[in-house]
Amino acid sequence: MSDDAASPTRALTFPGQGSQAVGMGVALAERFPEARAVLDAVDEALGEKLSALMADGPEDALTLTRNAQPALMAVSIATLRAIEATTGKPADQLGAFVAGHSLGEYTALAAAGTLEIADAARLLRLRGEAMQTAVPVGEGAMAALLGVDLDDAKSYAADAAAEGGVCDIANDNATGQVVVSGSKATVERAVAIAAAAGARKSIMLPVSAPFHCALMAPAADAMAEALASVTLRRPDVPLVANVTASAITEPSDIRERLVEQVTGMVRWRESVMWMASQGVGELLEIGSGKVLTGLVRRIDRSVSARAIGSPDDVTAFAGAITG
């Protein structure tokens, strides 16, 4: 008899850029035909063997924004299909909400049936290219401010931008982990201001573009045009949107929030807190890596987190909810 009914309400979460790794998805595709079918569908949608790059690298090519974004979506949906096949439960029976970090929001929408996998792959390829070309290489930067709360980070960013350039809050990831993004010199000023104010540590991030800031406006315009021509269905599971940190279900709202997300702040800390306020007691991180699982533990220790990315993870989870 299943003990699933006694389990805490779950939400399904999907990682963002930085979680990619050469070899991701290979074991899943070998074990589960449903996972293999997802990778094949993404290859067909893009007209190239992205799955081969995921399997064999090289790492620098996989890390390119135009490749990493659709690749991470592909491996997450492949993992979800393996979970669905093994448990006999569709996504709307596995979680009460879906959410994804930045590009992971597109994955969440594919998981919830709002986007076709092929459309998600093509949109993420376009999104990656548009974000990469919005700012010339070397002119933008991002930095993680550690041991800093959101209000202080906003103050440091504003002080830095007052001297010229752009510095916005890109990610409110967890308590004491806020990422700023913008013009390189301005972000460096924000780091210096944070250090002078007693920030525990600040790290310049190895990124190719300043994501989630005002400099991404050309990419937002490109996504608005692309999304206008794509059919979005009402999700089977409500989406907790990055820019609102609350659930939305109307396709028109989803389209607008996806455009806003390109330049807007990823409110991940608040999103986790909102889901917890709705009775979610367990977050599943589906796909490559364990970044979101680590963040949950820093946001709310009353919420458990579980990363599912390998065939063994899939079978262990299926056993836990059906055994």
Side-chain angles (χ1 to χ4, degrees):
M1 178 177 170
S2 171
D3 66 351
D4 194 35
S7 299
T9 300
R10 296 187 195 89
L12 312 181
T13 67
F14 301 92
Q17 199 160 333
S19 290
Q20 69 276 356
V22 173
M24 65 183 186
V26 172
L28 283 162
E30 291 173 348
R31 179 88 64 91
F32 301 102
E34 298 84 0
R36 177 76 262 168
V38 171
L39 302 188
D40 289 344
V42 171
D43 286 349
E44 183 176 354
L46 297 180
E48 63 184 66
K49 293 286 283 185
L50 183 63
S51 61
L53 179 62
M54 293 161 60
D56 302 320
E59 183 178 5
D60 58 349
L62 179 61
T63 301
L64 291 174
T65 302
R66 70 186 301 274
N67 293 327
Q69 295 202 17
L72 283 163
M73 182 279 298
V75 75
S76 285
I77 296 299
T79 308
L80 178 62
R81 293 291 180 261
I83 295 169
E84 291 174 329
T86 306
T87 62
K89 296 177 181 291
D92 62 350
Q93 293 181 25
L94 291 167
F97 301 99
V98 293
H101 194 285
S102 192
L103 80 89
E105 193 154 86
Y106 287 78
T107 313
L109 290 168
T114 295
L115 279 172
E116 296 286 350
I117 292 172
D119 286 334
R122 287 188 287 262
L123 285 168
L124 285 171
R125 167 56 57 82
L126 173 63
R127 183 177 182 271
E129 291 175 342
M131 293 174 88
Q132 186 62 67
T133 58
V135 179
V137 173
E139 292 189 9
M142 299 180 75
L145 309 182
L146 306 181
V148 173
D149 66 22
L150 179 59
D151 287 342
D152 285 343
K154 286 179 177 179
S155 175
Y156 305 152
D159 289 349
E163 298 182 37
V166 170
C167 187
D168 295 332
I169 305 298
N171 312 116
D172 178 19
N173 281 333
T175 306
Q177 187 185 126
V178 182
V179 176
V180 294
S181 179
S183 313
K184 186 172 186 289
T186 313
V187 169
E188 289 172 343
R189 277 202 300 274
V191 166
I193 291 168
R200 179 164 59 83
K201 187 177 183 181
S202 297
I203 303 169
M204 297 298 292
L205 300 179
V207 295
S208 56
F211 306 127
H212 299 290
C213 75
L215 298 177
M216 288 287 109
D221 292 342
M223 293 313 298
E225 182 178 353
L227 284 160
S229 63
V230 172
T231 298
L232 300 183
R233 291 185 293 276
R234 190 179 181 88
D236 299 328
V237 184
L239 171 76
V240 181
N242 282 183
V243 296
T244 64
S246 60
I248 56 175
T249 56
E250 290 299 324
S252 59
D253 289 343
I254 291 170
R255 184 177 279 108
E256 291 174 10
R257 301 296 86 77
L258 287 174
V259 175
E260 290 175 7
Q261 186 229 64
V262 179
T263 56
M265 176 173 65
V266 176
R267 296 168 61 183
W268 193 254
R269 177 182 60 86
E270 293 176 86
S271 294
V272 172
M273 292 171 64
W274 185 87
M275 286 186 279
S277 77
Q278 302 302 302
V280 171
E282 182 180 31
L283 294 182
L284 304 182
E285 180 177 7
I286 299 175
S288 180
K290 299 180 179 180
V291 171
L292 302 183
T293 300
L295 293 179
V296 171
R297 292 169 182 155
R298 298 184 59 180
I299 296 168
D300 188 341
R301 288 191 173 274
S302 72
V303 178
S304 67
R306 181 173 191 155
I308 305 177
S310 71
D312 288 347
D313 293 338
V314 171
T315 54
F317 173 69
I321 70 168
T322 62

